[in-house]
Amino acid sequence: MAIIRNRKAFGKLLCLCMQDLEILARLLLAIGFGAILGLETETRTSSIAKQTNQTPEALQNLKLGGVRTYTLLSLFGALGGLLFYSGQAAFGYLIFGAVIGLILLAYFLNVYYRRSFGITTEIAIIIVTIVGFLATSGLISLQILVVIVVILTFV
C-alpha cells in the first residue's frame, strides 16, 4: 500500500513538472515568435536603407522596434495569456491595455513630432502581443499559430 501511495505522489509530481515544462515551452515559443517578427522588421529596415541609399543608422530613429522590442512585447502577451489561462483574466486585460496605451502614445508622439502617419508598425506590435497571448492561453492550437506567424513574417 505504501508503494501505491508513493506512486500516486510521484504521478502528481510528474504531472506538475509536465505542466511547468509545458508553460516554459510555450513561453519560449512566444519569445521565439516575437524574435522572428522583430528580425523581419530589422531586415526590412535595412533593405529600405539600401533602396533609398541611406545608412541603416539613419533609419534606426524612424522605426519603433526591433528584435528586443518585439520579443519583450510578445513575452508581455504570453504573460497575459498565462494570467488569462490561470483564471486571472483582469490582469491579462490590464497587460493588453498597457501595451495598447503605450502604442497609441508612441503613435501620437510620432505624428506630432515627426509628422509620420504610418501605422503598420504599431499594428504589427499589437499583433505580436496577441501572438504571445495565443501561444500561452491555449485558445488556439500551436500549429495554427505557427502558420499565422509564418504568414506574418513572409508577407
Side-chain angles (χ1 to χ4, degrees):
M1 192 70 167
I3 294 174
I4 294 175
R5 285 186 191 159
N6 289 340
R7 197 174 285 171
K8 285 182 181 179
F10 179 72
K12 287 181 182 178
L13 180 65
L14 184 62
C15 181
L16 181 65
C17 289
M18 290 302 288
Q19 287 175 350
D20 291 343
L21 288 176
E22 183 182 357
I23 289 171
L24 179 65
R26 287 179 178 265
L27 281 173
L28 290 175
L29 190 64
I31 289 170
F33 287 157
I36 288 170
L37 293 172
L39 186 64
E40 189 274 330
T41 301
E42 285 190 359
T43 56
R44 186 170 21 102
T45 303
S46 65
S47 69
I48 290 172
K50 288 179 184 176
Q51 290 174 357
T52 59
N53 293 328
Q54 294 180 356
T55 63
E57 292 80 21
L59 291 177
Q60 289 292 94
N61 294 331
L62 298 178
K63 69 178 186 134
L64 187 57
V67 173
R68 292 176 293 185
T69 305
Y70 278 67
T71 302
L72 187 63
L73 289 168
S74 178
L75 185 60
F76 281 149
L79 292 176
L82 285 175
L83 290 171
F84 182 83
Y85 185 70
S86 67
Q88 299 178 0
F91 290 113
Y93 294 138
L94 183 68
I95 288 176
F96 275 115
V99 168
I100 289 175
L102 287 173
I103 295 305
L104 287 175
L105 178 68
Y107 176 72
F108 287 126
L109 290 175
N110 225 359
V111 168
Y112 183 74
Y113 287 113
R114 295 184 185 155
R115 300 287 183 225
S116 174
F117 295 98
I119 196 165
T120 55
T121 303
E122 288 81 1
I123 297 295
I125 287 177
I126 291 172
I127 288 173
V128 163
T129 307
I130 291 171
V131 164
F133 175 82
L134 291 175
T136 57
S137 67
L139 294 176
I140 191 170
S141 71
L142 290 178
Q143 293 86 0
I144 295 173
L145 190 61
V146 169
V147 170
I148 291 170
V149 169
V150 168
I151 289 171
L152 288 174
T153 302
F154 293 112
V155 169

